Amino acid sequence: MPTVAVEKEVLFAHLGRTYTDEAFDELCFEFGVELDEITSEREEAQKSETVKLTEQQIAALSDKVVYKIDVPANRYDLLCIEGLSRALHIFLGDQDAPEYKTTGAPEAVLTVKKANTDTIRPFVVSAILKDVTFTQERYNSFIDLQDQLHRNLCRQRTLVAIGTHDLDTIEGPFTYDARPGSDINFVPLTPDDRSFSAKELLEFYETQAAGKHLKPYVPIIKDSPLYPVILDAQERVLSLPPIINGSHSKITLNTKNVFVECTATDLTKANIVLDTVVTMFSEYCAQPFTVVPVTVQYEDASGAIVDSYVTPKLFVRREQAKVDFCNSMIGINITAAEMQSLCNKIQLGPATLLENDTVLEVTVPPTRSDILHAVDIAEDIGIAYGYNNIV
């Protein structure tokens, strides 16, 4: 199970409520997650066997209480404080689930050089978060969510790699291509302001301590004759997926418009990752929970467009489960109308009743890609009903 670390005070500020540790532990149990550990930055550093810090460095760390919360492996919407607090708000009845929308016509085009990218990393999806307001806390969470997704759903970047860029520093239309490593030159986010060819950069990350955190990803593309690359209209390198973004388009606290791209070997996973990132952080847009779409078009070797689609998908689905089935799976006996009402607590509303109130049809938002079967619906209704209320 993934573990999400959140500062207690920050989480309670998001929730607009305070709890004792015991009461919050109980809330986690009711919601279906687990408060695994209560710690602090300093305490973590003192007991770490892998990271050795001096006494001065340890003294500089925060004593603020940190909750480490274990979340189900398929609940990608709970991997950041935004998603976790939003889900708890809805569960507690403090707010309704938001409706996630695209703003209308796409405002950017990303062209894929299909003949080249098919050899290494064939798919890409994209979106724009417009008029975002970042604080240090929000920025940190934005980076942490990408790290969590890379470790879990993205399978250490082998399936999907996320790139985020300051849109106001780059110029569309954008291109996704694959080129020889010696033909790609740019200044990466790390280690400093030096320019590297992609080939030199991978060798650097493989051999130098400054790049050790990126070393595990080098083998994903190193032996390929062509390396994936995202470029803007001026041929500026935005990212070298799945390794590193370029320094030119880096996100800062002053960034207002974010260009998000996800390159992938699995298109379904790419859409889930993109939907997760934009639904979590569109909360901070001037129009909350709205996302600007991007047209992705595939170009063959002759320059002809052979395929295109618009992302993000923001999939909303209707799924069904029989009322009797849910009752028997959970071990309760509630009416169809009660079951219908409970769906609002678990982001599966609005729900409707069909076939003389014997079938429950729920609304699955883009944040709930984990709902795949009637059993998943029954499980969530059990959570909404309350584990402690089940005899």
Side-chain angles (χ1 to χ4, degrees):
M1 293 175 72
T3 300
V4 180
V6 293
E7 281 190 18
K8 175 180 175 178
E9 288 182 8
V10 175
L11 177 60
F12 288 176
H14 273 264
L15 292 174
R17 299 168 177 242
T18 59
Y19 294 87
T20 63
D21 292 342
E22 293 76 13
F24 186 73
D25 187 23
E26 181 62 23
L27 174 62
C28 287
F29 173 79
E30 291 173 2
F31 181 63
V33 298
E34 182 181 351
L35 179 57
D36 180 59
E37 188 179 0
I38 302 172
T39 183
S40 70
E41 276 188 359
R42 185 174 299 167
E43 189 177 332
E44 286 291 289
Q46 287 171 331
K47 67 184 182 184
S48 174
E49 295 181 0
T50 55
V51 181
K52 298 300 180 184
L53 301 179
T54 65
E55 288 185 12
Q56 263 187 325
Q57 289 172 319
I58 289 174
L61 294 174
S62 172
D63 273 328
K64 290 181 179 177
V65 175
V66 172
Y67 283 159
K68 287 192 166 185
I69 302 169
D70 286 344
V71 304
N74 59 355
R75 288 298 301 269
Y76 312 118
D77 59 313
L78 304 181
L79 290 174
C80 62
I81 194 170
E82 288 76 13
L84 181 63
S85 60
R86 189 183 309 160
L88 286 171
H89 261 305
I90 296 163
F91 179 71
L92 292 166
D94 295 338
Q95 71 174 67
D96 294 329
E99 184 179 355
Y100 306 99
K101 297 179 180 178
T102 53
T103 56
E107 294 187 15
V109 175
L110 177 54
T111 300
V112 183
K113 302 292 186 180
K114 180 174 169 57
N116 297 333
T117 58
D118 274 357
T119 66
I120 175 68
R121 204 173 183 86
F123 305 113
V124 66
V125 294
S126 183
I128 295 168
L129 294 173
K130 200 165 189 177
D131 293 326
V132 176
T133 300
F134 277 115
T135 62
Q136 189 65 57
E137 174 201 306
R138 294 173 183 180
Y139 175 87
N140 293 344
S141 183
F142 190 55
I143 302 303
D144 287 346
L145 175 61
Q146 293 173 58
D147 288 342
Q148 286 277 14
L149 289 169
H150 278 150
R151 283 194 295 271
N152 297 287
L153 176 59
C154 300
R155 295 293 185 269
Q156 298 294 349
R157 309 191 191 186
T158 57
L159 297 182
V160 187
I162 309 161
T164 53
H165 313 277
D166 187 329
L167 183 61
D168 297 322
T169 66
I170 51 182
E171 181 183 339
F174 304 100
T175 301
Y176 175 42
D177 200 358
R179 301 177 178 180
S182 56
D183 292 353
I184 302 169
N185 291 277
F186 70 111
V187 178
L189 276 176
T190 58
D192 48 39
D193 291 331
R194 280 192 293 159
S195 180
F196 293 81
S197 73
K199 186 174 177 59
E200 292 169 339
L201 188 61
L202 294 194
E203 290 170 356
F204 178 89
Y205 290 147
E206 210 170 30
T207 59
Q208 302 298 315
K212 65 181 180 180
H213 62 296
L214 296 171
K215 182 177 178 179
Y217 311 119
V218 170
I220 300 173
I221 63 170
K222 186 189 175 190
D223 294 332
S224 172
L226 301 178
Y227 292 171
V229 61
I230 303 273
L231 307 111
D232 78 348
Q234 302 299 321
E235 286 281 300
R236 290 175 291 212
V237 173
L238 277 60
S239 65
L240 180 74
I243 311 298
I244 190 73
N245 290 342
S247 179
H248 177 81
S249 58
K250 67 184 176 186
I251 303 288
T252 70
L253 294 184
N254 296 320
T255 296
K256 297 303 294 180
N257 301 297
V258 180
F259 180 71
V260 186
E261 41 86 5
C262 300
T263 59
T265 56
D266 183 314
L267 185 57
T268 299
K269 295 288 194 297
N271 279 311
I272 293 172
V273 169
L274 182 64
D275 279 0
T276 301
V277 171
V278 298
T279 53
M280 294 302 100
F281 286 89
S282 57
E283 171 179 335
Y284 302 130
C285 293
Q287 288 183 273
F289 307 115
T290 61
V291 187
V292 178
V294 172
T295 296
V296 178
Q297 58 185 27
Y298 288 77
E299 187 180 274
D300 68 13
S302 70
I305 303 301
V306 294
D307 191 16
S308 70
Y309 47 74
V310 174
T311 58
K313 297 297 185 184
L314 297 180
F315 288 119
V316 176
R317 297 177 283 122
R318 301 287 289 179
E319 299 289 348
Q320 296 181 359
K322 291 184 177 179
V323 172
D324 286 348
F325 171 81
C326 292
N327 271 327
S328 64
M329 282 292 293
I330 302 164
I332 58 177
N333 186 24
I334 61 174
T335 67
E338 288 172 317
M339 200 172 286
Q340 180 184 21
S341 178
L342 288 175
C343 288
N344 294 323
K345 294 182 66 175
I346 43 163
Q347 301 179 67
L348 294 182
T352 54
L353 295 171
L354 308 172
E355 299 180 26
N356 295 320
D357 294 353
T358 62
V359 174
L360 179 73
E361 185 173 79
V362 303
T363 303
V364 183
T367 51
R368 296 301 309 275
S369 60
D370 59 298
I371 301 295
L372 302 174
H373 188 275
V375 168
D376 301 316
I377 298 172
E379 178 186 13
D380 269 29
I381 289 169
I383 291 170
Y385 180 79
Y387 290 154
N388 288 333
N389 297 321
I390 301 171
V391 178

